[in-house]
């Protein structure tokens, strides 16, 4: 009996926008198609920064109007939390998105991509997208959890 071979794993170092290397690595099994807008996996060493579920409201707890505006505010809020810890977007290793309407998300992919790149650049961590019945704040359309690792 032969044992099936598991896919080989390519470990690709990520680069910060200033050209310096971070310790986060993109995990891409060989032979797998390259993902667009996310990574299949990430590996990193350092100080872990974790957010709770972040929604698209401002400092006065006013929700932005509509799905796309809430995503923009949510990503800005995550960036502010990361900055508070001394982390930058390239330190992100995971994002988990919770949306109340998957079709709304899919219908806005191009605009969401522009917004994402405007806040986090072209660094794409491992991501998951989950449709939920509702969020704690009834008018919220999206909630995102983030995990970052600041290199030691």
């Amino acid at each position: 009996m032969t044992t099936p071979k598991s896919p080989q794993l390519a470990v690709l170092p990520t680069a910060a926008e200033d050209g310096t290397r971070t310790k986060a690595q993109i995990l891409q099994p060989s032979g797998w198609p390259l993902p667009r807008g996310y990574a299949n996996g990430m590996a990193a060493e350092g100080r872990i920064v974790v957010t709770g579920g972040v929604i698209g409201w401002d400092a006065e707890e006013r929700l932005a109007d509509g799905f796309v505006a809430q995503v923009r505010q949510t990503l800005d809020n995550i960036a502010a939390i990361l900055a508070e810890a001394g982390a930058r977007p390239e330190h992100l290793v995971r994002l988990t998105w919770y949306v109340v309407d998957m079709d709304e998300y899919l219908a806005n992919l191009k605009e969401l991509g522009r917004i994402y790149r405007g806040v986090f650049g072209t660094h794409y961590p491992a991501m998951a997208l989950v449709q939920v019945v509702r969020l704690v704040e009834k008018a919220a359309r999206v909630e995102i959890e983030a995990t970052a690792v600041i290199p030691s």
Side-chain angles (χ1 to χ4, degrees):
M1 183 168 129
T2 60
T3 306
K5 286 188 173 183
S6 62
Q8 296 297 313
L9 184 66
V11 179
L12 309 170
T14 61
E17 290 191 13
D18 64 1
T20 62
R21 296 232 184 253
T22 66
K23 291 189 179 187
Q25 298 172 317
I26 298 169
L27 305 176
Q28 176 63 29
S30 66
W32 284 26
L34 289 175
R36 293 179 51 167
Y38 67 95
N40 287 307
M42 300 287 288
E45 291 182 25
R47 180 173 170 230
I48 297 173
V49 178
V50 179
T51 72
V54 180
I55 62 173
W57 59 15
D58 62 17
E60 286 78 42
E61 297 184 346
R62 292 181 304 234
L63 278 168
D65 188 28
F67 178 73
V68 171
Q70 285 189 23
V71 169
R72 175 180 282 118
Q73 184 64 53
T74 300
L75 296 178
D76 285 342
N77 292 346
I78 290 169
I81 294 167
L82 294 178
E84 190 69 20
R88 297 186 307 271
E90 67 267 18
H91 298 137
L92 283 168
V93 294
R94 180 166 187 77
L95 292 173
T96 303
W97 296 53
Y98 302 94
V99 298
V100 295
D101 186 343
M102 187 67 71
D103 291 331
E104 187 172 45
Y105 173 87
L106 294 171
N108 290 287
L109 283 176
K110 279 193 169 197
E111 182 64 17
L112 295 176
R114 281 192 289 276
I115 290 167
Y116 181 93
R117 289 186 302 278
V119 177
F120 294 141
T122 57
H123 173 72
Y124 303 108
M127 291 191 217
L129 176 67
V130 181
Q131 181 173 314
V132 295
V133 173
R134 68 161 274 203
L135 299 167
V136 171
E137 294 297 323
K138 280 189 173 184
R141 310 290 304 153
V142 61
E143 184 171 319
I144 303 174
E145 296 174 328
T147 303
V149 178
I150 303 170
S152 326

